[in-house]
Amino acid sequence: MLAHPRPAWRTRAVPVVAVVATVLVLAMCTVGASGPATRIIPPLIGGAAAAAVFWAVRRWRADRADYERRLTEWAATEAVLEERLRIARDMHDLVSHGLGLITVRAASTRHLPKPPEVGAALADIEEASRHATAELRRMLTVLREPGTAGPRTPLESLDALPEIVRAAEAAGLRPRLVCEPLGEVTQGVQVAICKTVREGLSNAARHAGPCDVLARVHRDGRFVVVSVADRGPATPGWRAVPGAGHGLAGLRERVAGLSGTLSAEPVEGGFRLTARIPDETCP
């Protein structure tokens, strides 16, 4: 689902170069002519052509820089929109699961003895939750791109953290996971925790290469804090392979959607990614 079409490469230098080439061809036609004009016009044309070519080169470079800037902005916007779509899908799964439980529990009381007004209220609850689930499904269908309505994987939970760390080991990192007792954590926050750890490890692999990385998850009052920190390249001569930064943009969008904050900063020769996410289950 694209907000804007991909920027097209255009430059105003090409028409100018074409005009200059045409003028030069016409000037060549004057070769062999005689008179004062033949001593004045060719230098004038040559000087104008040189100036036009100089302008065209500068114009081409400026247009190219502007195109690269617009392309970068477009890619960043697309990354944020893609992450918003993932958030919408995750929200659908979370809410529809809760509504499904409400529907089942309300329906399970249908044949139990109860006052008429209680039975009517439970019937209304069951019907309202069924309608809400149907609307959620319909809205998610609108958000999906054509051809992406296939089966979906379950939402990630804190149980996925060890597997995320093992995948980072396969990429050459030496990660260590410290997950302190968190108590009850909402599903949306668990998804954000997993994505933060994955993004932090991915950034470490690109920027620091094979190195020691500490991923820590702990609670700070009503906040769940996730940090992924490395100490910089451990291999002499390592050259960073930075990405476009769109992963951080999408992650910041997700964390902000949970009323949290995301910081990414150099520290102790390395880099640290930290997310502070409020958990509504906390007192």
Side-chain angles (χ1 to χ4, degrees):
M1 183 171 59
L2 305 178
H4 304 286
R6 181 187 177 95
W9 163 242
R10 298 186 182 91
T11 178
R12 288 171 286 179
V14 173
V16 174
V17 172
V19 171
V20 171
T22 302
V23 172
L24 289 176
V25 170
L26 294 176
M28 292 175 63
C29 296
T30 64
V31 175
S34 60
T38 59
R39 294 190 299 272
I40 299 175
I41 293 179
L44 289 178
I45 293 178
V53 169
F54 176 76
W55 176 89
V57 170
R58 294 196 61 179
R59 180 73 265 173
W60 185 89
R61 290 180 176 176
D63 290 342
R64 184 70 188 183
D66 180 67
Y67 168 73
E68 295 291 345
R69 177 188 59 78
R70 289 185 290 112
L71 186 63
T72 300
E73 292 176 352
W74 173 84
T77 300
E78 291 301 302
V80 171
L81 289 177
E82 184 177 355
E83 186 63 24
R84 288 181 178 178
L85 183 56
R86 293 195 191 101
I87 294 171
R89 292 169 179 169
D90 293 345
M91 184 63 67
H92 166 269
D93 292 345
L94 291 170
V95 177
S96 61
H97 175 70
L99 288 174
L101 289 178
I102 294 173
T103 303
V104 170
R105 290 178 181 177
S108 65
T109 65
R110 190 179 301 160
H111 304 294
L112 296 178
K114 52 188 172 295
E117 58 273 14
V118 174
L122 289 173
D124 289 341
I125 292 173
E126 180 183 351
E127 182 179 2
S129 61
R130 290 186 188 278
H131 282 230
T133 302
E135 287 300 321
L136 276 173
R137 187 176 298 111
R138 186 177 299 112
M139 290 305 299
L140 184 64
T141 301
V142 173
L143 288 173
R144 288 186 189 275
E145 295 183 26
T148 61
R152 287 177 41 75
T153 58
L155 290 176
E156 288 183 316
S157 67
L158 296 178
D159 295 335
L161 289 177
E163 181 59 35
I164 294 174
V165 171
R166 281 193 292 271
E169 289 178 349
L173 293 177
R174 297 185 294 274
R176 184 165 66 95
L177 174 65
V178 177
C179 188
E180 300 178 3
L182 302 176
E184 185 179 357
V185 181
T186 58
Q187 183 66 62
V189 174
Q190 293 187 51
V191 174
I193 291 172
C194 293
K195 289 188 177 295
T196 302
V197 172
R198 181 180 286 107
E199 180 65 23
L201 294 175
S202 176
N203 284 341
R206 286 196 299 265
H207 292 273
C211 66
D212 296 321
V213 187
L214 174 61
R216 183 184 177 211
V217 184
H218 68 282
R219 187 180 290 283
D220 181 13
R222 60 185 294 266
F223 290 89
V224 174
V225 182
V226 191
S227 64
V228 182
D230 64 76
R231 296 182 179 178
T235 303
W238 169 262
R239 297 183 62 182
V241 186
H246 301 153
L248 281 177
L251 181 60
R252 184 170 283 109
E253 184 78 11
R254 178 178 290 271
V255 172
L258 295 170
S259 301
T261 59
L262 182 73
S263 63
E265 57 188 353
V267 57
E268 298 179 359
F271 199 78
R272 180 170 61 198
L273 179 67
T274 305
R276 288 179 57 87
I277 310 170
D279 187 0
E280 297 301 329
T281 64
C282 298

